[in-house]
Amino acid sequence: MSKLRLGVNIDHVATVRNARGGDTPDPVRAAKLAEEAGADGITAHLREDRRHIGDADIDALMDALTVPLNFEMAATDEMQKIALRHKPHAVCIVPEKREERTTEGGLEVAREENQLAHFIAPLRDAGCRVSIFIAADQRQIEAAHRIGAQVIELHTGAYCDAHAEGDFATRDIELEKMRDMAALAHSLGLEVHAGHGLTYDTVKPVAAFPEVMELNIGHFLIGESIFRGLQPAMAEMRRLMDEART
Ligand code: PXP
């Protein structure tokens, strides 16, 4: 099986920084450390309300990184302009609501097919790989394919939440859905990524799907790095991912 890429999401280094309004801890420094520790990419979500990552962070990440930047953004004109200015390696389109604590569900692609097709076309033309963050749902995957996305990222949140709540029946149903939908997406020629809420306890079954090429992991890794340091926290995640792959 091909080696699974680990994308490290550094948003929550910025969350801690912004709690005090100063310059530390610097998410770009964390991104460089993650890069040194073998991250295959860095993910950052520039939210409309700039609650964690800010515009200057994206400028600095574009200058500093040697690994690809996966720029997460809502499908708004403002974000499209920023993405077209920077032309990051990948753009991941996510749903966004101001009142939510985190990205709670996948994007509704099927209902917004025409608008989204128009929205992503210039990003593709600019050379960005366009990824769509969606639930493991056949309608959404087929719609993502029709609008011309190159990548889908499966939202692992429902699976991880069910695990955390001890609802193992639901967890296993969610896992089976993701397994089937990863296979469907792959058969349509889409590259498959996954992420949201993954931890040491939940990563292996998802990492074992042969169609999944990349996992994007943030909150748990940044939290774990308080106790172990970022590089050891990543090394343990990498070990579990590799173990699941063999
Ligand atoms: N992938 C996408 C598309 C996301 O929106 C997020 C959260 O910003 C993640 C992965 C990472 O999720 P977490 O921080 O829970 O690991």
Side-chain angles (χ1 to χ4, degrees), residues 30-192:
K32 290 300 288 178
L33 255 182
E35 191 179 85
E36 279 166 35
D40 300 293
I42 297 296
T43 294
H45 183 178
L46 185 66
R47 292 187 75 103
E48 193 189 358
D49 62 8
R50 311 300 199 267
R51 69 176 70 158
H52 37 59
I53 292 294
D55 299 68
D57 295 321
I58 299 294
D59 295 345
L61 286 167
M62 284 301 297
D63 284 344
L65 291 180
T66 55
V67 294
L69 177 67
N70 176 31
F71 178 60
E72 282 183 13
M73 57 177 241
T76 65
D77 291 345
E78 182 200 17
M79 290 300 152
Q80 191 193 51
K81 276 199 198 98
I82 294 170
L84 289 173
R85 194 168 72 239
H86 287 298
K87 300 186 179 56
H89 168 79
V91 168
C92 181
I93 313 292
V94 302
E96 200 176 297
K97 293 192 217 99
R98 264 179 191 271
E99 63 279 12
E100 71 190 354
R101 248 186 309 176
T102 182
T103 311
E104 280 160 9
L107 197 70
E108 177 49 66
V109 196
R111 232 179 18 225
E112 315 270 339
E113 216 171 300
N114 285 342
Q115 295 97 302
L116 279 169
H118 280 108
F119 185 82
I120 69 171
L123 297 166
R124 276 195 61 153
D125 291 346
C128 302
R129 277 181 80 67
V130 175
S131 171
I132 309 281
F133 190 43
I134 44 180
D137 172 334
Q138 181 166 351
R139 272 177 60 245
Q140 305 298 346
I141 289 168
E142 288 171 350
H145 177 243
R146 281 195 298 272
I147 66 171
Q150 293 121 313
V151 181
I152 57 143
E153 179 160 335
L154 290 173
H155 196 309
T156 52
Y159 154 75
C160 291
D161 286 348
H163 178 85
E165 287 156 13
D167 181 354
F168 299 137
T170 302
R171 176 198 62 187
D172 293 347
I173 290 168
E174 292 298 332
L175 195 63
E176 281 314 302
K177 270 200 272 182
M178 287 194 289
R179 187 194 312 281
D180 292 347
M181 291 305 110
L184 171 72
H186 181 74
S187 74
L188 293 172
L190 290 158
E191 184 173 315
V192 183

